[in-house]
């Protein structure tokens, strides 16, 4: 697979850096990775860690000039536009004919399609895919993230793409066509965000009625309310020891990122004419939680704290 001998990676943040680290460890010895981030220290760190294997570039255009496959992982749609479409330093200011281009950022579908269209018009032999990920920073470090790939299972590049993504993660799900990886990701995060709010409220009403949250967790797990947020990401601290809440919500998926993804999902729903009653109230809840100094920068299940859930319940149910 000659294409992975010259790989480019742009955006070396909380997710991008561990993804590049997996590639640097697992690609064949002849492969080189050209990288760029607007923050110089993170580029220098990676190049020092993998001398000769990871090579620094001055901008996105320079990355594109060196490689045949480009992966991008930046925060928002505006960053994706700038990385690809900046007339002086963007990926598309290089000749990217025949390149395989994969954007893993979680952004709005309209921006993704606009970049795809621009590439299709200017470089018809290049292929652009959306492929957002799930599994968080811990998953990126462990190499267990899932990719939601915006293409059909019959796409001619699908095997090649899956091979590359499995070097950084575990599951790769082709979602059917362009921008559908993003639509799947936003739909998933909407559902996960709504469940976290519902879970927090359900625990709170049960606990205020006198129930031990450990009993409630067993009830939900045995009943029709069973879900992963309750089981593994329980918003109430110290019910499930490995849940972010049990560590003070310090590790996990930041509430600001949930606010961003929830907002993108609500916008998408409006654009496609999908009626929802929970969207606006959910968005307002995450917006306020993201701006609450008691919650900001913490795992999104801190919405339990934002909603006034009891955190020191163990003093009441001690030994129960
Ligand atoms: P981050 O802010 O930690 O990293 C983003 C990196 O992109 C930064 O290093 C930043 O300097 C760089 N960047 C920004 N603009 C750039 C530009 N124009 N050119 C080059 N580099 C640029 O963000 P992250 O947590 O790594 O998230 C990246 C994407 O992955 C987001 O869309 C996010 O929603 C998604 N995501 C994040 C998580 C998570 O748990 N952090 C989980 C799943 C998906």
């Amino acid at each position: 697979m000659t294409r992975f001998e010259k790989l480019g990676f742009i955006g070396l943040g909380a997710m991008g850096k561990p993804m590049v680290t997996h590639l640097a460890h697992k690609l064949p010895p002849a492969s080189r990775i050209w990288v760029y981030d607007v923050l110089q220290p993170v580029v220098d760190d990676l190049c020092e860690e993998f001398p000769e294997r990871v090579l620094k570039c001055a901008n996105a255009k320079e990355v594109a000039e060196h490689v045949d496959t480009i992966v991008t992982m930046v925060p928002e749609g505006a960053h994706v536009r700038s990385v690809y479409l900046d007339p002086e330093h963007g990926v598309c200011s290089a000749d990217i004919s025949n390149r395989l281009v994969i954007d893993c950022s979680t952004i709005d579908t309209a921006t993704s399609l606009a970049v795809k269209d621009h590439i299709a018009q200017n470089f018809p032999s290049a292929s652009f895919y959306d492929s957002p990920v799930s599994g968080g920073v811990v998953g990126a470090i462990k190499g267990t993230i899932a990719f939601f790939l915006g293409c059909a299972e019959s796409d001619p590049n699908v095997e090649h793409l899956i091979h590359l993504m499995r070097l950084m993660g575990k599951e790769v799900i082709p979602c059917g066509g362009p921008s559908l990886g993003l639509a799947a990701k936003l739909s998933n995060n909407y559902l996960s965000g709504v469940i976290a709010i519902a879970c927090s409220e359900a625990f709170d009403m049960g606990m205020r009625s006198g129930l031990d949250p450990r009993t409630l967790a067993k009830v939900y797990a045995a009943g029709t309310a069973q879900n992963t947020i309750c089981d593994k990401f329980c918003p109430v601290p110290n019910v499930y020891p490995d849940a972010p809440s049990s560590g003070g919500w310090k590790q996990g998926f930041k509430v600001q990122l949930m606010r961003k993804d929830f907002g993108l999902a609500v916008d998408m729903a409006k654009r496609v004419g999908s009626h929802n009653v929970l969207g606006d109230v959910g968005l307002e809840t995450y917006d306020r939680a993201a701006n609450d100094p008691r919650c900001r920068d913490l795992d999104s299940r801190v919405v339990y704290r934002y909603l006034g859930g009891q955190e020191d319940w163990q003093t009441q149910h001690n030994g129960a």
Side-chain angles (χ1 to χ4, degrees):
M1 294 201 178
T2 52
R3 271 174 155 171
F4 301 145
E5 285 183 1
K6 294 178 178 183
L7 195 93
F9 205 109
I10 297 166
L12 309 170
M15 298 296 286
K17 189 178 178 198
M19 288 163 79
V20 174
T21 303
H22 280 288
L23 292 171
H25 282 301
K26 297 174 193 169
L27 281 168
S31 296
R32 296 287 173 272
I33 309 167
W34 279 264
V35 298
Y36 172 65
D37 192 292
V38 284
L39 297 177
Q40 194 61 38
V42 71
V43 179
D44 292 340
D45 279 0
L46 265 175
C47 295
E48 260 172 48
E49 197 179 341
F50 301 100
E52 291 175 38
R53 177 80 143 162
V54 176
L55 307 161
K56 77 171 86 165
C57 291
N59 52 54
K61 179 184 184 183
E62 205 180 301
V63 173
E65 282 167 347
H66 280 103
V67 304
D68 41 39
T69 303
I70 303 164
V71 182
T72 52
M73 188 51 152
V74 293
E76 299 187 24
H79 306 108
V80 170
R81 272 185 192 274
S82 148
V83 164
Y84 284 95
L85 305 180
D86 181 90
E88 239 184 289
H89 298 304
V91 165
C92 297
S93 62
D95 178 1
I96 56 163
S97 301
N98 297 310
R99 305 287 201 278
L100 193 60
V101 187
I102 306 144
D103 180 37
C104 296
S105 322
T106 305
I107 60 164
D108 58 292
T109 52
T111 296
S112 184
L113 287 170
V115 171
K116 184 179 170 62
D117 286 351
H118 180 93
I119 290 176
Q121 274 169 22
N122 293 280
F123 308 101
S125 60
S127 307
F128 174 88
Y129 297 91
D130 56 299
S131 190
V133 308
S134 189
V137 178
V138 173
I141 293 167
K142 286 188 180 163
T144 55
I145 47 177
F147 289 83
F148 307 140
L149 179 55
C151 75
E153 294 200 25
S154 58
D155 188 286
N157 288 316
V158 79
E159 276 187 36
H160 204 56
L161 289 162
I162 290 176
H163 177 82
L164 177 67
M165 286 167 196
R166 288 223 175 113
L167 298 176
M168 299 178 273
K170 232 174 172 178
E171 199 164 356
V172 184
I173 303 177
C175 293
S179 86
L180 295 184
L182 279 167
K185 163 80 181 169
L186 297 179
S187 162
N188 176 78
N189 281 23
Y190 177 85
L191 181 54
S192 166
V194 164
I195 291 173
I197 294 173
C199 219
S200 300
E201 291 183 345
F203 267 106
D204 192 55
M205 68 177 76
M207 289 162 72
R208 285 179 194 273
S209 304
L211 275 146
D212 184 317
R214 290 166 294 190
T215 308
L216 275 171
K218 280 187 208 157
V219 168
Y220 300 151
T224 51
Q226 189 276 327
N227 68 85
T228 298
I229 298 298
C230 249
D231 293 348
K232 297 200 176 140
F233 297 85
C234 185
V236 184
N238 303 313
V239 172
Y240 181 69
D242 291 339
S245 59
S246 301
W249 293 283
K250 288 201 181 84
Q251 291 214 311
F253 184 64
K254 281 187 185 167
V255 65
Q256 300 97 292
L257 283 178
M258 178 58 90
R259 190 258 168 254
K260 177 192 76 140
D261 290 0
F262 207 95
L264 291 173
V266 170
D267 285 349
M268 179 177 81
K270 287 195 176 122
R271 202 170 52 250
V272 298
S274 166
H275 175 69
N276 57 66
V277 293
L278 300 174
D280 287 342
V281 73
L283 183 56
E284 190 186 343
T285 304
Y286 282 114
D287 194 45
R288 290 191 177 186
N291 287 303
D292 184 331
R294 297 170 311 133
C295 303
R296 194 167 175 78
D297 288 330
L298 298 179
D299 173 73
S300 62
R301 272 61 62 148
V302 75
V303 72
Y304 175 76
R305 169 181 280 173
Y306 169 74
L307 291 168
Q310 199 187 344
E311 296 175 40
D312 61 348
W313 59 270
Q314 275 168 307
T315 53
Q316 270 185 28
H317 291 280
N318 207 9

